Amino acid sequence: MTTRRTRPAPRPPEGTPPRAELARQARTVLADAVRIARWASDGAAPGTTPPATLEHAAAALDISPAQVRSGWDRARLAGLVELHGDTARPGWRLRAWDRDDSAVLRGWVALFDAWSLVHPAPRGVESTAVAEAVEAVPQVLSLLQLSAGPVTVPALLDLLGQRVAELHEERCEVPYGPEPLPAPAEPAPTAHPPALVARLLDWALEGLADVGALTLGPDQATLTPLGNWAVWVKLEQICVAAQSPAGNIEQAAADMLLGCARLTPGPARAEYRAWLAARPVGSAVAELLDVARGEDALLRGLAFEALRVVGAPAEPEVRAVRTDPSLRPYALIWLAEYDGTDPDDAQEVLSREEATWLWVDTAAAVADHGETGLLVRHLDAAVQGTVPALLDEVRAVGHPRTVQVLVALAAAHPDPALAKAVRKAAFQVHTGGS
């Protein structure tokens, strides 16, 4: 996370609104979700939304139960609220919502990536056809972005039909076991009927419009400024990054850590030492651990990097946080290294479940702050030998960011078959299925 490339970021297309304006638009799209997340995070609602809670929330917020259900769903997918057992806690994005445009834009992009979870698929359509349509939507979005204006529905339908037909013929399935070869005389699978493709296109356009990515007109669709910016970002494979470090010694721990996030390990350690030298060690350690308890996984990892610079004075406090589930894997690795274990072998002290939890937490940090390629390469860091095994254990580990991590990984991975399996796992976790 501290060694990513530092290439200059390309400029967005001419006419793209300033980031502050994009963030304002994202806040508008997620206004109901933010209201519901704040209401739930104040302890007014349990982690689930039974009918009684829906009615309570609707009365308290003066909106309909359907709006409560929809806003709650969006709040979870956008990282505004996280569930810990039966308790709803504010996500780090919600804490920063009014002051941090980057947090707002990342929350909206998370919702944009999860559009197919927000908008229910058409009834009576096979899941394979739905999955093929979801995989084909990036090409539709690319056409909309490159056109820089309205595109007719027939043009989009033609593109979607071609791409879905290709995916249908390729039969992009993740093999879970040996499959018999088809008989030589078996004809190639036929493409979906035009009426089905048109129905899938309507569903996709409505879903993308529902999350604020495009607007629909008479027989045409147009990307919104938010949608245009998001598609451009994905095409360029860049992410909104933390600001360059400046004045780190005077900053609070969270701002100092973000300022050091783009530095290589050596300069980052120098910054940590300077920051620590300017404060009493006890209060510095307490401040770093307080940041680590927050919802931003990147800050959690960086806080323990800074604690490595502290060394022995931090040992009692780090040992004490082993009972905190979100800090336990980091604390165990820190203590193992402190006791002389080679850093390359330190993760061996973790149980399989702890290692899987740490993999999801690190993936959340990459999804929030890293580049697309880093998230894809993070698959190699999993202790599981196969993607299906990883998905099974990730679903079971109960990390609050599991759905968002899987949605981001599915959106980033270049292999459509693997992306489909990851997207399916995200849907199962989101709906509570198996």
Side-chain angles (χ1 to χ4, degrees):
M1 290 300 298
T2 58
T3 59
R4 59 179 185 248
R5 297 189 299 273
T6 57
R7 57 187 174 92
R11 292 182 177 275
E14 185 177 353
T16 301
R19 287 172 56 79
E21 172 60 19
L22 290 171
R24 185 195 67 78
Q25 295 176 18
R27 287 184 174 98
T28 299
V29 172
L30 284 163
D32 282 350
V34 169
R35 290 182 65 203
I36 293 166
R38 285 176 172 158
W39 180 81
S41 299
D42 287 340
T48 56
T49 54
T53 303
L54 286 177
E55 296 294 340
H56 184 194
L61 300 172
D62 194 25
I63 56 179
S64 70
Q67 287 175 299
V68 172
R69 186 180 290 106
S70 174
W72 176 258
D73 209 29
R74 289 163 177 253
R76 292 180 61 194
L77 291 171
L80 297 171
V81 67
E82 297 177 358
L83 301 184
H84 298 261
D86 289 333
T87 303
R89 296 180 185 173
W92 73 271
R93 287 177 181 143
L94 185 63
R95 298 176 188 275
W97 195 254
D98 294 328
R99 58 179 171 79
D100 189 339
D101 289 347
S102 292
V104 172
L105 290 172
R106 288 185 178 278
W108 181 83
V109 168
L111 182 68
F112 169 68
D113 285 340
W115 69 266
S116 61
L117 299 181
V118 174
H119 197 62
R123 291 182 179 274
V125 178
E126 291 184 359
S127 60
T128 300
V130 172
E132 289 166 355
V134 172
E135 291 172 29
V137 160
Q139 281 74 27
V140 173
L141 291 170
S142 296
L143 175 60
L144 286 162
Q145 199 269 342
L146 293 172
S147 299
V151 178
T152 64
V153 169
L156 297 174
L157 185 60
D158 182 60
L159 176 61
L160 183 69
Q162 291 181 31
R163 183 61 183 138
V164 167
E166 293 171 358
L167 293 168
H168 189 64
E169 291 174 1
E170 291 168 4
R171 296 288 194 184
C172 294
E173 299 287 346
V174 176
Y176 284 88
E179 297 184 2
L181 293 174
E186 183 179 334
T190 58
H192 295 305
L196 175 58
V197 178
R199 192 177 175 194
L200 290 169
L201 177 64
D202 288 343
W203 167 67
L205 294 180
E206 289 169 2
L208 291 164
D210 201 30
V211 299
L214 53 79
T215 57
L216 301 177
D219 206 32
Q220 66 181 27
T222 309
L223 284 176
T224 63
L226 270 176
N228 187 68
W229 168 79
V231 175
W232 171 78
V233 166
K234 291 180 179 299
L235 290 173
E236 295 293 333
Q237 296 189 343
I238 66 170
C239 295
V240 180
Q243 296 297 317
S244 298
N248 289 319
I249 294 176
E250 302 299 327
Q251 300 296 323
D255 293 331
M256 179 274 294
L257 293 171
L258 282 177
C260 296
R262 300 186 68 183
L263 300 178
T264 54
R269 283 192 292 269
E271 289 288 322
Y272 299 152
R273 291 190 185 97
W275 184 85
L276 291 164
R279 344 180 116 65
V281 65
S283 63
V285 170
E287 189 175 354
L288 288 169
L289 286 174
D290 187 57
V291 170
R293 292 186 183 94
E295 309 301 336
D296 191 334
L298 174 65
L299 292 183
R300 188 160 26 255
L302 292 175
F304 276 86
E305 289 295 328
L307 288 169
R308 285 177 173 82
V309 173
V310 177
E315 189 266 343
E317 286 76 12
V318 172
R319 194 171 295 279
V321 301
R322 290 176 299 171
T323 56
D324 187 324
S326 66
L327 301 187
R328 179 174 173 79
Y330 294 94
L332 292 177
I333 291 174
W334 190 98
L335 291 167
E337 293 180 13
Y338 176 74
D339 290 335
T341 302
D342 189 299
D344 292 337
D345 301 326
Q347 287 208 20
E348 294 180 3
V349 302
L350 302 181
S351 68
R352 180 87 165 209
E353 183 177 0
E354 290 163 350
T356 303
W357 194 99
L358 181 61
W359 185 92
V360 179
D361 206 46
T362 306
V366 177
D368 286 338
H369 300 277
E371 293 184 22
T372 301
L374 284 177
L375 187 59
V376 175
R377 292 196 295 273
H378 185 56
L379 279 172
D380 296 336
V383 296
Q384 294 78 9
T386 66
V387 170
L390 170 65
L391 295 179
D392 286 340
E393 295 190 32
V394 163
R395 284 196 295 262
V397 79
H399 193 289
R401 294 291 303 280
T402 298
V403 171
Q404 293 143 2
V405 164
L406 293 178
V407 167
L409 180 58
H413 205 285
D415 183 340
L418 190 147
K420 180 192 297 184
V422 175
R423 193 180 299 109
K424 179 180 178 182
F427 180 80
Q428 291 171 338
V429 175
H430 176 63
T431 59
S434 58

